[in-house]
Amino acid sequence: MRKNKVVTALAAAFCSVFMAGCSFGGSVDSLLSPPKLSEEQNAVYDALIRSAGKDIRLKYPRSGEYRSAFVFANIDSEPDREAIVFYEKTGETEGGGNVRINIIDRRGGKWTSVYDHAGAGTGIDRIFFSELGGSGRQSVIIGYTLLSGERSVQVYDYEDGLLTSKYSDTYSTMFTADLERDGKNELILIRPGNQMKKASASLVSIDPESGEALETSGVALDESATEFVSVAAGYVGKETPAVFIDGLSGGQLTTEIIYSVDGQLRNPLYLGESGLIEKTRRPAGYTCTDIDLDGVIEIPTLSLFPGYSEDSSGTKLYSTDWNIFDNYSITKKYSSFYNIGEGYCFILPSRWDGVVTAKRDSATGEVVFCKFRTDLLNSTVELLRIAVASEEETGTLLEEGYMVLKSNNKTNYLVKCPDIEDEPLVLTGTEISNSLYLMA
């Protein structure tokens, strides 16, 4: 039963990858049923109809915190919130005309449309708000999707009933952070390379005196990266805010780190012939994360457990090392067994390095850690095994001596330890409970 779970998980993972590559003739907006509107949204929608007419179609942001066509936020100097509504005219070819933005405000206790604006793309990727550069004003930051597949960002200021664009550019991903460590947010744009320009990362801020949005610093990114698939914000060391960018290069992931020094961005792993970026190369799916939740981002790399070689046949099990950037070098912080498919990571104690291997139980699909002796065939002394089971399967495992360590969405993560005295490699209960991290 437990072996079947592993097969099912792998099949589901394959299906999700396959489906991600499919395309449909209609847009996301046409495939999804419109959600039921709240009383406040209905009042705003009525105001939109009075302004734009009935021949409209609501548009929904496809990523980010705000996923509704109705976004409420205080974007001016008045105390009350405004409503930002995304829509398109139904008379236009779906997906072919620019999305429109309607600002709706309360006037005399009634929602009233006060401004209508043609957006800079055919759809909305995301919207968020931030006071950039200590300007004292809330910027409206909207990412648009274009017919070409690119994304375009507009940084807007809303004042005196007008939505004014202060800055625009293309991007792959974007977010705000305080890389300058001055208590002021900057907009960080990550751009892929193309025939016109090289891949880069930029800081965009607003000058508090002039009110203009400016690119204050930029840095080149690895030109071999075809796509930036993941971005993690955290720290290098304990005091330096940094952004870790995972790029797809040659079908594998590599990591670059950007941070700011005296107002200028730096990318220390991408320094010509340093070779540091190659030390971060690993299979796709192993993205950077703060594995131990200490604020410092770790970079995963893979190495074979003892007893395996790249030339050996059959299933090979890899240890995932979690590395930090320290003093211009990549340094291992932890080793682990990271099971992406089942959503957990087990941190291995340092005393296991080089003397413990991992095997897969062919009957149950469980991972079993064994004391390594010469080769895998002779490595038979079990030190720990990990099982992932449904609620229905858990009762049987408990009867077999397993114990539940953690649970998530009716899935239980269990371990079983041998009763071996005088074996220093056997872990204590505290070590085990502190070593399992759920990644889902």
Side-chain angles (χ1 to χ4, degrees), residues 371-390:
K371 188 173 184 178
F372 181 67
R373 293 187 180 276
T374 310
D375 55 32
L376 292 174
L377 189 61
N378 290 304
S379 301
T380 58
V381 178
E382 289 192 16
L383 302 172
L384 180 73
R385 58 170 58 218
I386 300 175
V388 181
S390 65

Side-chain angles (χ1 to χ4, degrees), residues 1-17 339-344 360 365 388-389 411 413:
M1 178 68 75
R2 299 195 295 275
K3 184 179 180 181
N4 288 341
K5 275 195 63 183
V6 175
V7 174
T8 302
L10 291 174
F14 174 81
C15 288
S16 65
V17 171
N339 191 322
I340 293 180
E342 294 188 320
Y344 73 88
R360 183 74 70 180
V388 181
T411 298
Y413 296 80

Side-chain angles (χ1 to χ4, degrees), residues 72 132 198 223 280 283 299 305 400:
F72 294 88
L132 300 177
K198 294 183 177 180
E223 58 190 22
T280 70
I299 305 170
F305 274 105
E400 295 174 4

Side-chain angles (χ1 to χ4, degrees), residues 171-206:
Y171 71 97
S172 173
T173 189
M174 63 175 174
F175 50 94
T176 57
D178 179 17
L179 289 188
E180 301 286 358
R181 291 171 288 175
D182 57 2
K184 303 172 184 177
N185 277 344
E186 300 88 29
L187 175 65
I188 302 170
L189 300 178
I190 310 297
R191 307 183 192 90
N194 54 40
Q195 294 179 343
M196 303 296 295
K197 55 186 177 182
K198 294 183 177 180
S200 64
S202 297
L203 285 185
V204 177
S205 188
I206 290 183

Side-chain angles (χ1 to χ4, degrees), residues 28-279:
V28 170
D29 305 274
S30 65
L31 290 171
L32 298 178
S33 298
K36 186 177 181 180
L37 302 182
S38 67
E39 182 178 348
E40 185 176 43
Q41 288 173 335
N42 268 316
V44 170
Y45 185 68
D46 289 342
L48 175 65
I49 295 298
R50 291 194 297 270
S51 170
K54 295 182 179 180
D55 295 331
I56 62 173
R57 180 188 299 111
L58 295 176
K59 301 289 285 186
Y60 298 83
R62 304 188 179 199
S63 61
E65 178 182 354
Y66 301 96
R67 299 297 184 94
S68 173
F70 302 85
V71 178
F72 294 88
N74 185 4
I75 59 175
D76 59 14
S77 57
E78 297 177 355
D80 295 330
R81 300 181 305 163
E82 288 73 38
I84 302 170
V85 186
F86 302 115
Y87 73 99
E88 68 179 0
K89 297 285 188 179
T90 54
E92 299 174 347
T93 302
E94 185 174 353
N98 276 16
V99 64
R100 300 195 66 84
I101 303 169
N102 200 287
I103 307 296
I104 299 175
D105 203 354
R106 281 188 180 275
R107 298 289 170 87
K110 182 179 179 180
W111 286 106
T112 304
S113 173
V114 296
Y115 186 74
D116 195 80
H117 178 79
T122 57
I124 301 294
D125 175 42
R126 64 179 60 208
I127 176 174
F128 56 98
F129 309 91
S130 182
E131 182 186 322
L132 300 177
S135 63
R137 296 189 59 81
Q138 188 88 308
S139 291
V140 181
I141 303 168
I142 300 179
Y144 294 94
T145 56
L146 310 180
L147 282 177
S148 63
E150 288 187 301
R151 299 185 182 100
S152 171
V153 60
Q154 297 280 338
V155 178
Y156 293 105
D157 180 61
Y158 183 69
E159 187 175 11
D160 298 328
L162 295 176
L163 195 63
T164 305
S165 177
K166 296 289 188 178
Y167 179 89
S168 65
D169 205 342
T170 57
Y171 71 97
S172 173
T173 189
M174 63 175 174
F175 50 94
T176 57
D178 179 17
L179 289 188
E180 301 286 358
R181 291 171 288 175
D182 57 2
K184 303 172 184 177
N185 277 344
E186 300 88 29
L187 175 65
I188 302 170
L189 300 178
I190 310 297
R191 307 183 192 90
N194 54 40
Q195 294 179 343
M196 303 296 295
K197 55 186 177 182
K198 294 183 177 180
S200 64
S202 297
L203 285 185
V204 177
S205 188
I206 290 183
D207 187 316
E209 296 183 3
S210 68
E212 294 301 310
L214 305 169
E215 184 175 313
T216 60
S217 179
V219 67
L221 298 176
D222 181 16
E223 58 190 22
S224 69
T226 57
E227 181 184 357
F228 298 115
V229 299
S230 176
V231 175
Y235 286 85
V236 168
K238 295 184 178 180
E239 298 181 353
T240 304
V243 177
F244 292 68
I245 305 168
D246 292 332
L248 199 59
S249 172
Q252 295 186 308
L253 290 184
T254 57
T255 295
E256 299 173 78
I257 305 172
I258 60 171
Y259 51 79
S260 182
V261 177
D262 297 328
Q264 297 299 309
L265 289 182
R266 297 286 187 268
N267 183 3
L269 297 189
Y270 185 52
L271 295 174
E273 299 179 357
S274 69
L276 286 176
I277 195 170
E278 282 301 311
K279 292 185 178 180

